[in-house]
Amino acid sequence: MASLLYRIGRFAYDRRWLVIALWVVIIAAVGGSAAAFHGTTTNTFQIPGTETQRMLDKLKADLPSSAGGNATLIFESPGSPFTDAQKKDLSAALEKIKGLDGVQGVTDPFATQAQLDGAAAQIADGQKQLAAAQAQLDAGKPQLDAAKAQLDASKAQLDAGQAQLDAQKQALAAQGLPAAAIAQATASAQAQLDAGRAQYDAGKAKYDAGAKQAADAAATITQKKADLALAQRQADASAGLRFVSTDNRAAIAPIQFTKSTDSLPASLRTQIQDIASSVDGVKGYASKELTQDINQIFGPAETIGVAVAALVLIVMLGTFVAAGLPLIMALVGVAVGVGGTFALTGVIEMSSVTPMLGLMLGLAVGIDYSLFILNRHRNQLLNGMDPRESVALAIGTSGTAVVFAGLTVVIALVALVVPGLPFLAVMGVAAAATVAVAVLIAITLLPAVLSLVGRRLVSKRRWARAAQQNAAPGHEAEEARADLDKSNRGWGAWVTRHPWIAVVASVLLLGALTIPAAQLRLALPDGGADPVDSTSFKAYDATGKYFGAGMTGPIVVVGEMPAGLDDTAAKVKELDVADQLRTVRGVVAAVPLALSPDHRTAVFRVIPTDGPASASTVQVVNDLRAQGPAIQSQTGVSIGLTGQTAANVDVTSKIADALPVYLAIVVGLSFLLLLLVFRSLLVPVLATAGFLLSLGAAFGSVVAVYQWGWLGPVFDITHPGPILSFMPILLIGILFGLAMDYQVFITSGIRESFAHGQEAHVAIRTGFHHAARVITAAAIIMVSVFAGFIFSHLTMVRPLGFGLALGVLLDAFVVRMTLVPAVMRLFGRAAWWLPRWLDRILPDLDIEGAKLERTTAAGQPRAEEEAEPVAG
């Protein structure tokens, strides 16, 4: 590997313009692609195959109007209730918003609240009318009953009279009288009976009409009772729901869009916010879905981090040319890596964190990798080495360490594919590609540019001092003695003289910082995590203050209804399900929201007690799902949950389940890589154990600051809460890769001294001395870059920036520069022990470049090389 990279370094040095031209073409191609093909990023995290995704797909098919994104506007009248004029103006403003392209619908809070408030009065009035109608019906019933009794008596009397007359006719006929005589004899009686029958029929008709009227009235009353019962159930379902606060000083207006909120154009977001804030005397706040700008990845806080890194480089390297090179290399890497990521956003759905993560890592590792090679080349120049040979040797030695350090980061990031979360896989691969680009730039573009810079890397004063030292007789032996003397002083020497103190102190410190990690709670952020002066936080705060925190994150329940229901039966089923949903603890309201035309799909809005990121809301989601079988058995309706709140719970759960597997894969693969690199069993074990300590300390500190609120004012945390759900898995992957970077850098220096024949304990000190300065600078630079993201405009990036900054700080200075050399000092030569059978089968990668220096001219410093300094 070292020989191959040595040849690459020579080629880039000799073919400088070709290499530079190729990178210019790559940058232009990537930039043009990003400008032409970029799409939008998203903050909606879905996992294919989950219940939330299946229900969302069902809504898109059955009820497209309910499948779009949602946002809310909060209006507040400070100091006094809304006036009639303000209500009118707000309703008019909402009508304007409703007419915008991309808006599906807007709820007018005043009209809706009036309906909700008037429902009780309407129900009470209806009940009074029903009571009066029932009383009137009941009052008329005795008359109907008496008429019926009289009719029955008349009919009985008529039937009896007719029977008696018929018997008389039969008797006369038996006596032999002719029919005419019989008819004449009974005519008067029959006429009297017929008149009575006619009178009875008239009375019967009148009674039937009255009975029918009473029956119709009874049916109407029954139907109205059923309608009132449904209205009462609807009112009960909405009892915990308000759109205008009880003091009439705040109103909330939900907005439904035709597509997801992440796909909304910036112009629509701006229009909505401008209209919402146009009413005099009313403050309008838009929720996070409308205010977040997820397409801007670089802000002032990140710029400060880069500025600090530049200052460190200037202090360390002494010239603007030398300090500028690592920054330029890092910016080129970011341009290619992040630009390529943006070019793919048009065809691949990406989280807004994806390009931000690439930017964060690209800057950090890009500066560090170039610095590591540049420092080696600079020292070799000062020792009199030919520039061409020095560049090639620096690429062959330090470049090899850079390649393997970068490879550990790439492995850790690409392993994010394993958990099976698409958004996380895209995030990891994109970030890994950016790191790979940084490595390629360090071993190709950097040597090409170094060939143009020449000796301007070093200041005139430093050149003069180096020339004087090189000209002194026996300077090489003197430098070796001075170098050994320096290695016996300083931090590395103290650690190796007091290894037990260093080990115990390091473990105690990291262990103490790890303690809060036991209470780590994960969730996706809501508006409460935003800065206190942001519109989204004000909207979140006002919503919770006036309407309850649950209104900031309603849960969407989708019901699959039985076939063959008419309108009334479907409505009854909806309310039956709503009643069951309200029995779940922590549910404030469960309201039927929409019904498909075929009555087969119903949508319910469930309002929990607390906000979407709270532990109680997570429990509500789980309890609602547990209630599903009971609801189906009692109502015949099967339910499923969707919406962002339920999706957040699913994402968090899925990531938590994937963490142990991911950690095992990353640690296992990197252990094998370190085994190959250092040909030692202790070094990979020590590297992994140290990483776990620094990881635990980083987790614990993140929990203390962002979940518990410690030092909240310092880090602009006004609403402590759960940690970003995918932050731990990203922190594991990134921090492990970066920890292995410093392990490779410092251990390769120790291994190089050991490979060149020094005793184990001496090699630790000299190797530490040679690497400490550049590793300190590199760590400070990386911490500065990550720390710049602690105050990022994307709040979900902030805890990641904090965790990485602190994790790198602890890992570099406590683990790699204290714990590792101390433990290696305790083990002595055994630190490099490897079973013979394993030593025979493992390839020798020569990461320290020992073989390379013995077989190339670069290994022989050329004292006769001209020492004429060039201004820098």
Side-chain angles (χ1 to χ4, degrees):
M1 175 62 76
S3 298
L4 173 63
L5 291 176
Y6 174 85
R7 292 193 296 271
I8 290 175
R10 276 205 165 188
F11 176 86
Y13 190 99
D14 295 337
R15 303 288 189 273
R16 64 203 72 166
W17 291 115
L18 173 63
V19 173
I20 293 173
L22 286 175
W23 278 108
V24 170
V25 170
I26 291 173
I27 294 171
V30 169
S33 299
F37 306 118
H38 75 89
T40 58
T41 54
T42 177
N43 271 342
T44 301
F45 305 100
Q46 294 287 353
I47 306 175
T50 59
E51 178 185 89
T52 53
Q53 189 62 47
R54 290 196 306 272
M55 292 299 103
L56 182 60
D57 293 340
K58 181 175 178 59
L59 281 184
K60 289 179 180 178
D62 298 347
L63 268 171
S65 61
S66 298
N70 295 276
T72 55
L73 294 173
I74 306 296
F75 301 101
E76 185 179 14
S77 176
S80 62
F82 290 114
T83 64
D84 291 339
Q86 288 174 335
K87 292 180 181 180
K88 183 178 179 181
D89 291 344
L90 283 174
S91 296
L94 293 174
E95 279 296 319
K96 288 183 183 179
I97 294 174
K98 187 177 181 180
L100 297 176
D101 184 30
V103 177
Q104 179 74 32
V106 180
T107 299
D108 186 327
F110 302 107
T112 305
Q113 190 63 54
Q115 292 177 357
L116 292 175
D117 293 342
Q122 290 177 355
I123 291 172
D125 185 58
Q127 288 174 341
K128 288 180 181 179
Q129 293 178 10
L130 280 179
Q134 185 67 54
Q136 184 178 359
L137 183 63
D138 293 342
K141 189 174 184 303
Q143 295 178 357
L144 280 176
D145 292 342
K148 186 175 186 306
Q150 186 177 359
L151 285 172
D152 291 342
S154 297
K155 185 176 184 301
Q157 186 178 0
L158 288 170
D159 290 344
Q162 186 66 52
Q164 184 179 0
L165 184 60
D166 290 343
Q168 184 180 355
K169 287 180 181 180
Q170 290 177 3
L172 291 174
Q175 293 176 8
L177 289 177
I182 295 173
Q184 185 178 4
T186 60
S188 176
Q190 186 63 56
Q192 188 176 359
L193 285 173
D194 289 342
R197 182 75 65 184
Q199 186 177 3
Y200 168 80
D201 290 340
K204 179 71 165 59
K206 184 178 180 181
Y207 169 80
D208 288 344
K212 182 178 183 304
Q213 185 178 4
D216 290 344
T220 300
I221 291 173
T222 300
Q223 182 60 48
K224 287 186 176 181
K225 282 183 178 179
D227 292 342
L228 280 177
L230 286 176
Q232 184 63 58
R233 294 181 66 188
Q234 183 75 36
D236 292 340
S238 306
L241 193 62
R242 292 195 63 85
F243 292 88
V244 178
S245 63
T246 53
D247 59 4
N248 198 28
R249 290 177 52 191
I252 183 169
I255 304 176
Q256 177 88 36
F257 297 100
T258 56
K259 51 188 177 181
S260 69
T261 52
D262 293 320
S263 302
L264 299 179
S267 58
L268 178 59
R269 296 172 184 269
T270 302
Q271 278 183 289
I272 292 174
Q273 293 180 67
D274 289 344
I275 294 173
S277 59
S278 64
V279 179
D280 292 337
V282 176
K283 293 182 178 180
Y285 305 123
S287 64
K288 186 173 184 175
E289 295 82 4
L290 284 171
T291 59
Q292 61 187 358
D293 181 5
I294 59 179
N295 291 310
Q296 179 187 352
I297 66 170
F298 207 78
E302 293 86 344
T303 305
I304 294 174
V306 175
V308 174
L311 181 62
V312 173
L313 287 170
I314 292 173
V315 171
M316 177 186 177
L317 299 175
T319 68
F320 287 103
V321 174
L325 276 180
L327 286 174
I328 293 172
M329 296 300 106
L331 292 175
V332 171
V334 166
V336 175
V338 178
T341 300
F342 261 115
L344 294 173
T345 55
V347 293
I348 300 175
E349 185 176 281
M350 291 187 188
S351 161
S352 60
V353 180
T354 301
M356 185 67 96
L357 183 61
L359 173 67
M360 188 187 300
L361 283 175
L363 286 174
V365 302
I367 294 174
D368 276 10
Y369 292 168
S370 296
L371 173 62
F372 198 62
I373 294 173
L374 182 64
N375 184 68
R376 177 89 178 217
H377 170 58
R378 185 171 175 271
N379 290 336
Q380 290 170 169
L381 285 180
L382 290 172
N383 286 332
M385 188 176 292
D386 173 68
R388 179 172 179 265
E389 294 297 330
S390 177
V391 168
L393 184 61
I395 299 298
T397 53
S398 296
T400 304
V402 165
V403 168
F404 281 99
L407 189 57
T408 59
V409 181
V410 169
I411 288 174
L413 291 170
V414 172
L416 289 171
V417 174
V418 174
L421 308 176
F423 76 89
L424 201 59
V426 171
M427 198 181 298
V429 171
T434 304
V435 173
V437 168
V439 173
L440 287 175
I441 286 173
I443 63 175
T444 58
L445 182 59
L446 179 61
V449 175
L450 287 175
S451 70
L452 298 176
V453 172
R455 297 172 180 265
R456 289 191 294 275
L457 287 175
V458 184
S459 66
K460 291 180 179 180
R461 181 181 302 175
R462 186 71 183 87
W463 268 122
R465 188 164 71 250
Q468 182 179 2
Q469 291 173 348
N470 292 338
H475 74 280
E476 291 183 0
E478 181 63 29
E479 283 184 5
R481 285 192 297 271
D483 186 61
L484 185 60
D485 182 60
K486 289 178 181 179
S487 67
N488 287 325
R489 299 194 302 269
W491 182 250
W494 186 92
V495 166
T496 54
R497 289 193 188 99
H498 309 90
W500 281 112
I501 296 177
V503 170
V504 172
S506 299
V507 172
L508 286 177
L509 172 63
L510 297 174
L513 292 175
T514 302
I515 292 174
Q519 297 187 32
L520 174 67
R521 190 166 67 83
L522 304 177
L524 288 176
D526 53 30
D530 290 349
V532 69
D533 58 345
S534 66
T535 300
S536 53
F537 178 84
K538 292 176 181 177
Y540 178 90
D541 186 56
T543 302
K545 175 182 177 182
Y546 291 105
F547 304 100
M551 284 290 283
T552 62
I555 302 166
V556 179
V557 177
V558 180
E560 299 183 58
M561 309 277 278
L565 298 177
D566 59 20
D567 288 344
T568 302
K571 190 172 183 179
V572 171
K573 284 289 184 187
E574 283 186 294
L575 291 171
D576 289 342
V577 173
D579 290 343
Q580 292 291 321
L581 294 174
R582 286 201 311 280
T583 63
V584 173
R585 185 177 181 181
V587 171
V588 174
V591 186
L593 199 61
L595 184 65
S596 63
D598 62 358
H599 300 157
R600 294 300 306 275
T601 302
V603 182
F604 303 85
R605 175 183 289 168
V606 176
I607 308 298
T609 303
D610 297 317
S614 68
S616 65
T617 299
V618 174
Q619 189 61 47
V620 168
V621 169
N622 295 331
D623 290 345
L624 285 171
R625 286 173 169 157
Q627 188 76 1
I631 292 175
Q632 185 169 16
S633 66
Q634 294 180 31
T635 67
V637 179
S638 61
I639 66 166
L641 274 58
T642 189
Q644 197 58 49
T645 299
N648 292 354
V649 174
D650 286 346
V651 170
T652 301
S653 175
K654 191 83 171 179
I655 291 176
D657 293 341
L659 274 175
V661 177
Y662 174 73
L663 183 60
I665 291 173
V666 169
V667 170
L669 290 176
S670 296
F671 178 87
L672 293 176
L673 181 63
L674 291 174
L675 186 65
L676 287 171
V677 170
F678 294 113
R679 307 180 68 80
S680 161
L681 286 180
L682 176 69
V683 170
V685 171
L686 181 57
T688 303
F691 157 72
L692 292 176
L693 285 171
S694 56
L695 178 67
F699 275 170
S701 301
V702 168
V703 169
V705 173
Y706 288 89
Q707 187 173 314
W708 294 355
W710 291 7
L711 301 178
V714 175
F715 296 102
D716 193 23
I717 303 166
T718 56
H719 191 78
I723 306 304
L724 178 67
S725 57
F726 55 83
M727 192 277 288
I729 201 167
L730 287 179
L731 188 60
I732 289 173
I734 299 170
L735 186 57
F736 188 84
L738 299 179
M740 295 308 104
D741 280 3
Y742 293 118
Q743 181 71 34
V744 168
F745 292 158
I746 195 164
T747 314
S748 62
I750 297 173
R751 176 73 177 175
E752 183 177 0
S753 298
F754 183 74
H756 288 154
Q758 290 187 351
E759 290 294 327
H761 69 282
V762 178
I764 294 172
R765 292 181 181 178
T766 56
F768 183 97
H769 170 68
H770 292 157
R773 187 167 180 264
V774 67
I775 289 177
T776 299
I780 293 174
I781 289 169
M782 193 168 284
V783 169
S784 301
V785 172
F786 289 148
F789 290 85
I790 295 175
F791 299 97
S792 170
H793 64 290
L794 285 181
T795 54
M796 69 171 62
V797 175
R798 294 183 175 192
L800 181 60
F802 175 85
L804 288 173
L806 184 64
V808 168
L809 183 70
L810 294 173
D811 194 87
F813 294 108
V814 179
V815 174
R816 309 303 153 189
M817 298 181 70
T818 303
L819 183 62
V820 167
V823 174
M824 292 184 70
R825 175 65 181 88
L826 292 174
F827 276 82
R829 293 185 63 87
W832 304 108
W833 176 80
L834 189 69
R836 291 184 179 180
W837 62 270
L838 188 57
D839 184 59
R840 287 193 298 269
I841 63 176
L842 289 179
D844 189 357
L845 300 178
D846 189 28
I847 188 174
E848 305 83 14
K851 294 181 180 178
L852 179 64
E853 291 191 352
R854 290 196 298 268
T855 57
T856 64
Q860 305 293 330
R862 295 172 58 182
E864 71 273 18
E865 184 70 21
E866 65 274 16
E868 183 181 352
V870 180

